[in-house]
Amino acid sequence: MSAVAWIAVGSLIVWVWLLLGQGFFWRTDQRLPARRDPARWPSVAVVVPARDEAEVLPMSLPSLLAQDYPGDAEVYLVDDCSGDGTGELARALSGRCGGLPLTVVTPGEPEPGWTGKLWALRHGMALARQREPEFLLLTDADIAHEPDSLRELVAAAGTEGADGFDLVSQMARLRVTSTWERLVVPAFVYFFGQLYPFRRINGEGSRTAAAAGGCVLLRAGAAERARIPESIRQAVIDDVSLARAVRRSSGRIWLGLADRVDSVRPYPRLADLWHMVARSAYAQLRHSPLLLAGTVLGLGLVYVAPPVTLCAGLLTGDATAAVAGGAAWAVMAGTYMPMLGYYRQSLWLAPLLPFTAVLYLLMTVDSAVQHHRGLGAAWKGRTYARPEAAPEP
């Protein structure tokens, strides 16, 4: 066989393994587990870190204040040194909308060794713990919740013990409106699921751990045992680090896709999406040039090789390359279709996944370049020149 044919066959073998051996990552059926309502609804503190979120807060905060929750619940918004009046707007929205009690606190700039979001969570959680809540809902300022969201999360967590979860997290449905959002956003969740298969995370006795930082319900006792957030204070990829810390402390975790929790943050331009991915992509690779090189080669074999070898085989008459490359591309597109369906997008976007993968590859390389230039992860006016990657389990 020709070298092109060997590459095509290798890519097909990898895709067959991904299809069957990577926790069925492509399925989108991991949804919030249904449980009976508890006999007594536990108390919950909702902690919202917010920095310069005045644009999205009117679409998200009222949904939290309007939660239809039978137990005691209150909201703590941590205004992380915003320059756009986030704290004042939050108070105004609370006065206008009513609902759950709202407390707004401003902790000041982070101390050395802390990333901004985790510094904000530290102060919000410390304030909430004075009321001794049984659960903490950690949710981002751009996340909108349906009125029964908190009720369903708490019910899904169950009672503490063998049958209950210490951490329940939902991957909020991201906004998909612009052309670039349609092309990039579903792939973002697809790649995340490929890296952290939800079924494997939720399996009994699994060591794989991850969470979606936009919506995390955390049992207060589990947070104390895992020393959250102090134990992960430098993490840029804080949601994965949080889940690993909980699992290391023998906590049970669950992660799935959301049906009634949505991100309202717009990413209309490619530059917006590029920054969202590039700010933490190299941290996911633990800032390792060796892992970066392996990722480039791996993405090339898995995503770029199928269409390239198909075209090369057709042009040169290499039937093996054309058939293997075409089959690999078909399997790839087939595994992407469920995610496109979840995002209510045309299935005709599935064959474009190789192009989107190249974009993600370039974003990852750019993330590494920025890191080695000393710029590191930059977000909301702060730069973490040498951020710590999520710790290993």
Side-chain angles (χ1 to χ4, degrees):
M1 288 195 304
S2 66
V4 173
W6 277 114
I7 293 172
V9 170
S11 182
L12 177 59
I13 291 172
V14 171
W15 272 110
V16 171
W17 177 81
L18 287 171
L19 176 69
L20 302 175
Q22 186 61 358
F24 295 98
F25 76 94
W26 44 272
R27 297 185 61 173
T28 56
D29 58 351
Q30 293 298 287
R31 306 298 175 89
L32 207 61
R35 294 179 185 257
R36 294 181 179 178
D37 289 350
R40 181 189 64 82
W41 289 93
S43 57
V44 182
V46 182
V47 181
V48 185
R51 177 173 171 82
D52 293 334
E53 298 287 10
E55 179 183 359
V56 298
L57 214 57
M59 296 177 282
S60 60
L61 184 59
S63 74
L64 285 173
L65 300 175
Q67 285 300 298
D68 178 19
Y69 184 67
D72 292 332
E74 50 190 315
V75 180
Y76 298 87
L77 185 137
V78 186
D79 180 10
D80 184 14
C81 301
S82 300
D84 65 350
T86 290
E88 294 79 2
L89 176 60
R91 294 185 182 94
L93 289 170
S94 176
R96 188 185 315 152
C97 301
L100 298 183
L102 173 71
T103 300
V104 178
V105 60
T106 302
E109 290 291 335
E111 291 180 356
W114 285 83
T115 58
K117 179 180 176 180
L118 290 169
W119 176 254
L121 283 177
R122 177 196 184 191
H123 284 267
M125 292 170 66
L127 186 63
R129 280 168 175 158
Q130 296 176 13
R131 304 293 294 270
E132 299 183 348
E134 295 164 81
F135 280 96
L136 299 160
L137 175 59
L138 313 179
T139 184
D140 288 348
D142 65 329
I143 302 298
H145 296 253
E146 292 294 327
D148 58 355
S149 174
L150 182 56
R151 176 199 291 260
E152 292 190 355
L153 283 165
V154 172
T159 57
E160 189 169 10
D163 295 327
F165 293 107
D166 296 293
L167 182 154
V168 175
S169 180
Q170 290 185 288
M171 177 72 74
R173 200 189 301 261
L174 304 176
R175 197 188 94 138
V176 179
T177 302
S178 71
T179 299
W180 285 112
E181 286 171 338
R182 292 189 178 97
L183 189 64
V184 174
V185 166
F188 176 83
V189 183
Y190 172 87
F191 292 142
F192 183 92
Q194 190 176 78
L195 192 59
Y196 303 105
F198 291 2
R199 283 172 166 263
R200 189 169 292 170
I201 290 168
N202 301 338
E204 197 67 38
S206 173
R207 294 187 61 193
T208 305
C215 178
V216 177
L217 182 74
L218 181 61
R219 207 176 292 272
E224 292 182 7
R225 289 192 298 273
R227 296 176 49 247
I228 303 295
E230 286 77 11
S231 63
I232 60 171
R233 60 186 177 275
Q234 288 182 299
V236 172
I237 309 175
D238 52 88
D239 43 13
V240 175
S241 298
L242 189 154
R244 287 175 173 172
V246 172
R247 176 144 281 173
R248 282 198 306 271
S249 62
S250 302
R252 296 187 68 218
I253 68 175
W254 184 92
L255 171 63
L257 294 172
D259 289 314
R260 298 167 65 75
V261 178
D262 300 281
S263 172
V264 297
R265 189 182 304 283
Y267 293 99
R269 303 173 303 156
L270 176 60
D272 303 316
L273 291 158
W274 191 290
H275 182 59
M276 178 192 74
V277 175
R279 68 188 178 93
S280 61
Y282 197 41
Q284 183 64 59
L285 300 177
R286 301 196 293 276
H287 307 103
S288 167
L290 186 61
L291 287 177
L292 176 65
T295 298
V296 171
L297 292 175
L299 286 176
L301 175 65
V302 175
Y303 290 100
V304 180
V308 170
T309 55
L310 169 62
C311 294
L314 292 175
L315 290 173
T316 62
D318 190 334
T320 302
V323 170
W329 196 0
V331 174
M332 179 201 314
T335 63
Y336 190 37
M337 286 181 179
M339 188 60 68
L340 289 172
Y342 169 74
Y343 272 97
R344 306 182 185 96
Q345 298 302 302
S346 170
L347 299 184
W348 289 107
L349 289 172
L352 297 180
L353 187 57
F355 172 73
T356 305
V358 170
L359 287 179
Y360 274 90
L361 177 59
L362 295 175
M363 294 173 192
T364 302
V365 172
D366 182 52
S367 179
V369 170
Q370 297 304 316
H371 173 81
H372 289 290
R373 289 177 59 193
L375 299 178
W379 186 247
K380 296 292 183 69
R382 291 193 181 118
T383 299
Y384 307 105
R386 292 292 182 268
E388 180 181 304
E392 285 298 299

